[in-house]
Amino acid sequence: MLTQSERNLSAGKVIEYLLRARKAVRLYPDRSPVTEKAVDDLYQGIMRLLSVQDRIAFEIRQDSILFEIEEIFRSDSAENDMAHFLFRDGLREISFRKGLTIDEVLGLVHVLSIDFVSEFAVEDVVTRIWEKNFSHIRCIIYEPGLFDPIESRDSLQSFPLDAAGLSDELKRVYRNAVARRDEICTLTDTIEFTDEELLSLRRDVDNNRIDRTGKVLAIALELLLLAKTEDFGPLEAGMKQAVEYALARRKLDVLADFFIRVKAAYMDGTRDSDFSRSLQHIFSFFSSEKFLIKVGSALDEGVRLDEDTFEKFTRLLDGSSVPGLIRLLGYLDTIAARKTVMNLLAAIGSADLPALTAALHDGRWYVVRNIVIVLRRIGDRQAKKHLLSILDHKDGRVRREAIKAMAQLGGNEAFDLIRNALDDPDISVRQFALGSLSRLEAVLAKRLLLEKVTDRAFRDRDYAEKREFYCALLSYEDADVVRLLGNMLLKKTFFKRAANEESRAAIAHCAGMHKNSAFLPFLRMIEYRGSEFLQHSVSEAIRKIEHEY
Amino acid sequence: MNTEHKETAPSGGDFGVRDRVMGLYDNIASLIADMPRRFASGEDIKMKRLRRLVQYAIDMVEDDEPLLLGMALNNNRHQYADRHPVNVCILSVKLGHRLGLSKNELAELGQVALLYDICLPFVPAEVLEKKGAYSDEDWRAMEQHTIQGFRTLFGLKNVDEMLMRAAIVAFEHHLRYDLSGYPQAQHLPSQDFYTRIVAIAEWYDALASSRAYAEGGRSPDYAVKTLLEQSGTELDPVLVKVFVSMMGVYPVGSLVVLDSGEIGIVMQPHGVLIKRPRVIVISDEVKPFVADLSKRGDDGQYLRTVKKTLDPNEYRIDYSSYFFGRPRRYGENN
């Protein structure tokens, strides 16, 4: 049995646990160990009190919480101003009863997880508690005047019962009833439902939670379509408000549908010029930077454009939105959002190529790189001369993308570019250039590779890079290549012997990787020669090739 | 109900159930009656208070409190305009509850049902009260209130889900289920679920209210029969069926004459058997008791059946006093 002071202490702990659990719920998911422990502590704290009482109640005052008339909590900061927050909302008591479950406690913590400081909470605490319908948590609310009689009640209300007059009145009822003829109700006793009707009901109820933003936008458009000769200004403002509303709710798919319809109405051309002008104003909002920035925020928050919506966006955006989208690329925080904007630019960017190529001079390397990717995807050869200007960009990531783009766009510049890039001081650029070879014609690419691997300076490159080059060359499966590399396998040098053996080991490795049996005679000839590393590479290659056959 | 309202009645004592129901009903009516003025003047429209009142009304509907429904269905014919939105709210919530909507959906529906016709008072009185056919101008005035309703509700600051739904219902509520009504929308595929619920409640209130009796010569099943007739054109046919099976033929608070010769007040619909509600039998000889008209005798025949109906407002009988003076349930099998 707990003493009064122990009970008060325990009650104080409950409030402490409540604040801790509230904080945990705001920061972590319900299933996280932190939240689970905090909620369990709170639950155990309440259960400790309920072990000796059937019901415990916390009285809420303006700046304090009382338990059995003892103050156990006082608000000391805005963040912890729970008492005032609950009091302001009309809550005067929260009580718990035996049978309380941990899920109910978690539910209550969720209800109380609203930001106490915010003045913009649309849902009040009382509403949230009411919606939860707890079985073992009850609240007392004070909101004056909800049930007060209204002055004019007498005139609203039915005639009061007059006990003395009842008999006379009943007699009058009987008298009139006898005079009335019997009524025949032709309806059947019960209303029958078909399975189909029950299913449609189920569908209606299930769909009731589906967002209605699309409908609001549809109605806003209807208002304009219904308007005859009045001033379109307010209607236009109403539509913009509806668009803003949909944007705030991140309904990009709904907005795409809406603007497609606005565009259709605008293109229809059967209405007068004021009407068309209004629609044009609304439609131009879609391409505006203000709109695009909000779209960008939605994308950053994780909203995705599905295939259908993306296609609609590309139908709605035009060249005028290209500069806005480019600027958006600089603001966006997430890769996914940037990717979507780049996809949009790739789809519509050709309408304003100068804007895109101008962005190649942006100071931010990531913007430039992304524009290069967009230009590559657009595939307009006019972009090549602009790309050439950034081939010496200070950032290797930009150079890499530029090489790839140039290679894809093709032509003599691409060949020269890749040839130069294969000697870039940055190894990642060289590797990228190697990867870009596939975009050139096979004959050209092979020629370029042969040129590089036979260059005297090539043997000074590191083993991994050599391997990449040889493997790239071997992918052509050409007799000339086999002959050349076979001879290189056998070739011994006096100077730079170690580097040469490394090159031979790299060729052996690649021959093994490609399981190219044409190399077997060459490999057999040097099977037990040279350094241990070379021998190992050669025997591995032989094993791989023989294993294949 | 997990929230409880603590307040002292003006008389100094606690509010009784009857006071609470009537007070709540009147406070909703009063708040809604004052809304158009508040909208027009830009004053605070007291949404929080409205929400709270609706929450209590829902609790009463969930508790199957008969007086609330009785007040909605059997009020006198005065101040119909003030009472109509409250009645539509109660009936809508009742139907939503029957359909299994969640508590927050019911709260949303209840508020929507109170707000959707908020711009009706702006229609000129001569149009609203016109007996004959409407001219084109009259129709335009009527159409305007739906458009105005949408714009007013959607134009409020901090539009939330509820106000958005209310705006939709405001626009659609004269559109009819088959979309042949007004405003003549070109691209709306169907009425909103809430619009279809509210439309039934609105029709029923107009039919079952004393106004219908006042026109005289109506059969008791007039209201539900009319609803069923409007199925598929004006109203959603499936929802009408749910509504009729929920409400039964005889509205709560109706004064009925039974084949036993007794007079009773309809207290509660049966829920399935639409002609067999629970009735408070009143007489001078015995204290009032509740009779369940679905009960059968040993011979398999119903013990009591409604034979005639009377307009309760023609008599000085306050049905509400019987709803709260019903401790004697012994009479159920009489």
Side-chain angles (χ1 to χ4, degrees), chain A residues 88-89 97 120 122-124 126-127 129-135 137-150 152-153 155-162 166-174 176-194 197-198 200-201 204-205 208-213 215-216 218-223 225-226 230 234-235 238 241-242 245 249 261, chain B residues 1-7 10 15 18-20 22-24 26-27 30 48-49 51-53 55-56 58-59 76 79 83 99 101 103-105 107-108 147 150-151 154-155 159-161 164-165 168 171-172 183-188 190-194 196 220-221 224-225 228 236 238-239 241-242 244-245 249 257 261-263 272-275 282-284 302 307-310 313-318 321-322:
Chain A
R88 191 182 61 188
D89 213 29
R97 287 157 196 254
F120 303 104
V122 177
E123 281 183 296
D124 53 284
V126 172
T127 296
I129 291 176
W130 177 82
E131 284 171 1
K132 289 277 181 189
N133 219 3
F134 297 120
S135 301
I137 303 173
R138 290 181 73 85
C139 297
I140 291 182
I141 317 297
Y142 174 76
E143 191 159 321
L146 288 187
F147 304 110
D148 277 358
I150 301 290
S152 59
R153 163 84 73 77
S155 61
L156 288 171
Q157 203 181 315
S158 189
F159 301 102
L161 175 67
D162 179 356
L166 178 62
S167 293
D168 286 344
E169 199 62 15
L170 274 181
K171 277 178 199 154
R172 195 160 75 87
V173 173
Y174 275 111
N176 288 350
V178 170
R180 268 183 97 104
R181 59 184 166 79
D182 286 1
E183 293 155 349
I184 298 159
C185 179
T186 52
L187 292 170
T188 53
D189 267 357
T190 54
I191 301 283
E192 305 292 336
F193 291 88
T194 64
E197 286 172 334
L198 292 173
S200 93
L201 274 177
D204 276 339
V205 172
N208 189 41
R209 284 292 101 210
I210 290 176
D211 185 82
R212 259 53 174 192
T213 313
K215 188 142 205 181
V216 166
I219 293 174
L221 182 59
E222 286 291 343
L223 296 188
L225 296 172
L226 284 166
E230 65 180 285
L235 294 172
Q241 188 198 355
Y245 179 75
R249 298 166 74 97
R261 286 185 49 205
Chain B
M1 193 186 334
N2 64 345
T3 52
E4 184 182 315
H5 194 271
K6 192 171 197 177
E7 196 179 332
F15 282 106
R18 186 170 185 260
D19 292 331
R20 287 170 72 89
M22 289 185 163
L24 184 76
D26 291 350
N27 275 286
S30 151
K48 191 172 168 183
R49 185 175 171 83
R51 183 160 66 228
R52 198 73 81 241
L53 286 164
Q55 285 166 2
Y56 282 107
I58 290 166
D59 285 340
N76 68 35
Q79 304 214 7
R83 289 172 163 274
L99 291 167
L101 296 186
K103 276 190 102 161
N104 55 356
E105 285 173 303
E108 191 176 76
I147 293 171
F150 174 83
R151 286 167 64 178
F154 193 65
V159 175
D160 59 5
E161 189 76 24
M164 180 174 78
R165 295 292 289 268
I168 292 172
F171 182 80
E172 293 180 340
Q184 287 182 333
Q186 296 167 27
H187 300 288
L188 293 184
S190 61
Q191 277 184 314
D192 191 78
F193 186 46
Y194 285 169
R196 287 180 276 143
D221 52 2
V224 289
K225 261 183 146 173
L228 290 166
D236 180 324
V238 185
L239 288 180
K241 280 184 160 189
V242 178
V244 171
S245 69
V249 169
V257 182
E262 295 158 314
I263 290 182
V272 177
L273 299 172
I274 61 172
K275 292 187 280 190
I282 52 174
S283 83
D284 280 343
Y302 287 116
K307 286 193 82 176
K308 305 173 188 184
T309 51
L310 298 165
N313 289 307
E314 277 183 22
Y315 307 97
R316 290 164 54 82
I317 293 173
D318 178 7
S321 62
Y322 288 102

Side-chain angles (χ1 to χ4, degrees), chain A residues 98-142:
Chain A
K98 269 207 165 133
L100 180 75
T101 64
I102 195 158
D103 284 342
E104 286 182 289
V105 171
L106 178 64
L108 181 68
V109 175
H110 269 292
V111 165
L112 298 177
S113 66
I114 303 179
D115 188 355
F116 293 159
V117 188
S118 169
E119 291 175 11
F120 303 104
V122 177
E123 281 183 296
D124 53 284
V125 173
V126 172
T127 296
R128 292 179 61 161
I129 291 176
W130 177 82
E131 284 171 1
K132 289 277 181 189
N133 219 3
F134 297 120
S135 301
H136 304 96
I137 303 173
R138 290 181 73 85
C139 297
I140 291 182
I141 317 297
Y142 174 76

Side-chain angles (χ1 to χ4, degrees), chain A residues 13-44:
Chain A
K13 279 273 180 206
V14 165
I15 302 297
E16 201 179 295
Y17 291 143
L18 177 61
L19 286 170
R20 211 177 289 166
R22 177 180 169 269
K23 196 172 178 182
V25 160
R26 282 163 66 94
L27 290 174
Y28 307 103
D30 287 357
R31 291 279 163 220
S32 82
V34 181
T35 307
E36 281 185 346
K37 174 158 190 338
V39 173
D40 190 55
D41 284 348
L42 172 61
Y43 178 65
Q44 297 305 335

Side-chain angles (χ1 to χ4, degrees), chain A residues 104 148 184 226 229 234 240 298 454 503 542:
Chain A
E104 286 182 289
D148 277 358
I184 298 159
L226 284 166
T229 55
K240 279 196 176 159
T454 52
S503 298
I542 292 171

Side-chain angles (χ1 to χ4, degrees), chain A residues 200 354 374 415:
Chain A
S200 93
V374 170
F415 181 78

Side-chain angles (χ1 to χ4, degrees), chain B residues 72-75 203-213 222-223 251 254:
Chain B
L73 297 180
N74 200 16
N75 47 61
W203 265 79
Y204 187 75
D205 182 53
L207 293 166
S209 75
S210 300
R211 288 206 313 186
Y213 281 104
Y222 168 71
S254 300

